Amino acid sequence: MAMQTVTSWVKKAQIIGTDVNGQPVTRVQFNAMQKEVARLKEENEILKIAAVLLGEHRK
């Protein structure tokens, strides 16, 4: 097994902080949360635009 592989696994599993409940958060979990936040922000912007368009349509 390559040393790079093990090093990569260790970095991914390394605890980099805690969540609001005090549970440990790994780098992989943090990156996944960042992607989810970005996706939710994008969806929120789409919904805001749709709400405006629907509001104008009803006038």
Side-chain angles (χ1 to χ4, degrees):
M1 187 175 297
M3 186 66 166
Q4 276 183 321
T5 303
V6 175
T7 302
S8 174
W9 291 344
V10 169
K11 283 183 180 180
K12 288 179 181 176
Q14 183 180 15
I15 296 171
I16 60 170
T18 57
D19 64 11
V20 295
N21 297 321
Q23 297 297 315
V25 175
T26 65
R27 181 160 310 282
V28 170
Q29 291 169 321
F30 179 75
N31 291 343
M33 285 187 269
Q34 282 185 315
K35 286 180 184 178
E36 179 72 5
V37 167
R39 185 185 65 80
L40 291 171
K41 284 182 178 180
E42 184 177 347
E43 287 180 3
N44 194 33
E45 288 302 314
I46 291 169
L47 290 171
K48 285 179 184 178
I49 292 168
V52 168
L53 292 174
L54 286 172
E56 289 175 1
H57 178 69
R58 291 184 179 193
K59 288 182 178 179

